[in-house]
Amino acid sequence: MNTSEAISASAVAALADRRLDWRHKAVPATANGTTHTDFLAEKHTLADLQTPLLTLDAGALRHNADRLASWCSEHGVLLAPHGKTTMAPRLWAEQLSRGAWGITVANFAQLRVAREFGVRRLQLANSLTDPQAIEWVAATARPDQPILSWVDSTVTVDVIGRTLEAAGSNAVLDVLVELGGIGGRTGARGVEAALDVARAVSASLNLRLVGVSGYEGSLAHTADADSLAAVRGYLGQMGELHQRLLEEGLYGSDAVILTAGGSAYFDDVVEVLSPRVTAGSEAGPRVELMIRSGAYIIHDDGFYRGISPFSRDGGEPFKAGMHGWARVVSQPEPGLAILDAGKRDLPVDEGLPRPQLIGPTLGGPMLPLAGAKITAVNDQHCFMTFDAGTTTVRPGDVVRLGLSHPCTAFDKWTLIPVLADTDGDQTVVDLIHTFF
């Protein structure tokens, strides 16, 4: 890999040489043994595929990637997209090509995938406590290929130090102190506790403090006034922690990162924390604000559609970039149809799939499916109710489904077809390989 590349172009390009087979449930059996490149050259369309199926929309992906990249540029903030949403190097490359700082991941396994594809800058939005992970990061990270991680307790600081000492390593790992919130997930509970962690980092021979991190999304799940107040209050505490670290001289770098922001509240992150970011001076380090939105590039017809800042601000919203397709396998009683997609095919944790359209064939004409509802989902089936007096549903019919939460959609597919336009030209223009 060229060390100036944000991701290895050759590694991503090599995905097109992969052969399609029984491991890729999104492609038909007739494509068994065909390479990715040959499959696309044959100009397959949605009609050539089968159900159950998850597809992406090329136009929506481009729109969403461009939209947030432009917004970040306008607001002067860095973007390190959370790669765990898609675990798709091809999509990471699209995000990085638009100026993303690097890729964020959630665990050691994801770090290994990202580095295998040559992602140059990485952030682990978690603490290193597994000895193998600590030793791997120590051996892998370099000044031109950094790996940032988080710490939220003095015990974690000690674990890293003892592990590297036992391994005979003199490596110094770059870390951010993570601030949490009561009832949240990880993170030191309160500014004073986080300061204790930062002091331990400063005293460590194996760690260097390079910023403050946090995740506001674990403290709220809606965009009502109380939720936004909780988010903004927490972000204010992050800013206070940063100021205290500056005052005590605990940062070990002349370039500091403040990072928060998933796909739900990134506007609040920028509004609250931007005043804390300065151009730097002799009195302190250069400070940069970084958001880590990941779901935005896919977006959805559910949770994120309702909570995204671009849906709430009256501006140009993100577009739903994924859809499910399921076939009716049984219509056992009036007003009930059983579809051939379930929890192992579609996300259900942030809302059940929503019937949108119905037609007699996949890739053929479809009509709106008004009043229909998914009421339950099994491993391999959806239960769809509908008005039998106004709607006819037959075995073999195909239903298009709006989905919620891309983070639990991609993990169910090793390969996902990309359509030129879900509502128009349904030619398969790309295949996205995932690595969960």
Side-chain angles (χ1 to χ4, degrees), residues 77-153:
V77 299
L78 302 177
L79 172 63
H82 212 319
K84 58 94 177 173
T85 296
T86 65
M87 288 306 295
R90 177 74 178 82
L91 295 180
W92 296 348
E94 291 295 324
Q95 294 167 307
L96 291 165
S97 72
R98 288 165 170 81
W101 171 90
I103 296 294
T104 300
V105 294
N107 58 36
F108 180 33
Q110 294 171 7
L111 270 179
R112 293 175 63 193
V113 172
R115 189 45 58 89
E116 181 69 21
F117 280 90
V119 177
R120 183 161 59 93
R121 293 193 186 110
L122 288 166
Q123 176 176 209
L124 174 68
N126 219 328
S127 294
L128 287 167
T129 56
D130 183 313
Q132 290 192 42
I134 294 169
E135 293 178 20
W136 185 89
V137 169
T140 304
R142 300 200 300 269
D144 62 336
Q145 296 186 32
I147 300 176
L148 312 182
S149 64
W150 299 0
V151 289
D152 70 354
S153 77

Side-chain angles (χ1 to χ4, degrees), residues 52-56 295 298-306 319-326 339 341-343 345-356 374 377 382 399-410 412-413 416:
L53 181 64
L54 178 74
T55 61
L56 304 178
I298 307 302
H299 200 50
D300 64 17
D301 280 309
F303 175 71
Y304 285 111
R305 180 179 183 179
K319 297 180 180 180
M322 65 176 182
H323 294 87
W325 307 83
L339 311 183
K343 295 176 183 177
D345 310 297
L346 306 174
V348 298
D349 60 312
E350 291 288 359
L352 298 181
R354 302 178 180 184
Q356 295 178 330
I374 300 298
V377 182
C382 284
V399 177
R400 192 182 91 178
L401 299 162
L403 305 175
S404 180
H405 202 199
C407 299
T408 51
F410 273 59
K412 296 165 176 56
W413 298 84
I416 308 172

Side-chain angles (χ1 to χ4, degrees), residues 119-424:
V119 177
R120 183 161 59 93
R121 293 193 186 110
L122 288 166
Q123 176 176 209
L124 174 68
N126 219 328
S127 294
L128 287 167
T129 56
D130 183 313
Q132 290 192 42
I134 294 169
E135 293 178 20
W136 185 89
V137 169
T140 304
R142 300 200 300 269
D144 62 336
Q145 296 186 32
I147 300 176
L148 312 182
S149 64
W150 299 0
V151 289
D152 70 354
S153 77
T154 57
V155 174
T156 301
V157 172
D158 184 57
V159 166
I160 294 172
R162 286 188 288 104
T163 299
L164 293 180
E165 181 180 2
S169 173
N170 294 319
V172 178
L173 308 188
D174 287 340
V175 298
L176 296 84
V177 60
E178 181 190 2
L179 180 70
I182 301 300
R185 197 166 57 192
T186 54
R189 294 306 197 249
V191 171
E192 294 301 327
L195 282 168
D196 287 340
V197 178
R199 293 172 187 133
V201 171
S202 181
S204 171
L205 298 177
N206 300 107
L207 296 175
R208 182 173 70 143
L209 187 63
V210 299
V212 173
S213 61
Y215 178 52
E216 74 292 341
S218 63
L219 303 176
H221 208 66
T222 67
D224 61 25
D226 289 342
S227 292
L228 293 178
V231 165
R232 295 173 71 87
Y234 165 73
L235 294 170
Q237 289 183 345
M238 283 188 65
E240 178 187 348
L241 172 60
H242 166 62
Q243 187 62 40
R244 295 281 298 277
L245 294 172
L246 288 173
E247 292 169 357
E248 291 195 30
L250 293 174
Y251 286 123
S253 171
D254 59 3
V256 170
I257 291 173
L258 301 186
T259 178
S263 292
Y265 306 107
F266 57 80
D267 57 335
D268 295 286
V269 170
V270 172
E271 184 174 341
V272 174
L273 291 180
S274 282
R276 301 286 186 170
V277 177
T278 65
S281 67
E282 294 180 1
R286 182 180 78 257
V287 183
E288 294 187 281
L289 181 58
M290 173 191 289
I291 63 172
R292 305 186 307 275
S293 310
Y296 78 94
I297 191 171
I298 307 302
H299 200 50
D300 64 17
D301 280 309
F303 175 71
Y304 285 111
R305 180 179 183 179
I307 203 171
S308 166
F310 293 162
S311 297
R312 294 186 272 115
D313 68 3
E316 185 181 9
F318 290 129
K319 297 180 180 180
M322 65 176 182
H323 294 87
W325 307 83
R327 192 168 262 108
V328 178
V329 292
S330 178
Q331 205 271 288
E333 57 191 67
L336 174 65
I338 308 300
L339 311 183
D340 66 351
K343 295 176 183 177
R344 291 178 175 172
D345 310 297
L346 306 174
V348 298
D349 60 312
E350 291 288 359
L352 298 181
R354 302 178 180 184
Q356 295 178 330
L357 303 171
I358 189 168
T361 60
L362 184 64
M366 306 192 89
L367 296 173
L369 194 49
K373 183 179 181 180
I374 300 298
T375 58
V377 182
N378 293 160
D379 287 350
Q380 312 290 176
H381 298 95
C382 284
F383 291 69
M384 185 180 78
T385 59
F386 61 94
D387 184 347
T390 60
T391 303
T392 299
V393 177
R394 297 184 177 88
D397 285 349
V398 175
V399 177
R400 192 182 91 178
L401 299 162
L403 305 175
S404 180
H405 202 199
C407 299
T408 51
F410 273 59
D411 64 313
K412 296 165 176 56
W413 298 84
T414 55
L415 183 141
I416 308 172
V418 182
L419 306 181
D421 181 356
T422 304
D423 292 315

Side-chain angles (χ1 to χ4, degrees), residues 67-85:
R67 179 78 170 90
L68 190 58
S70 176
W71 188 89
C72 287
S73 178
E74 291 169 6
H75 290 79
V77 299
L78 302 177
L79 172 63
H82 212 319
K84 58 94 177 173
T85 296

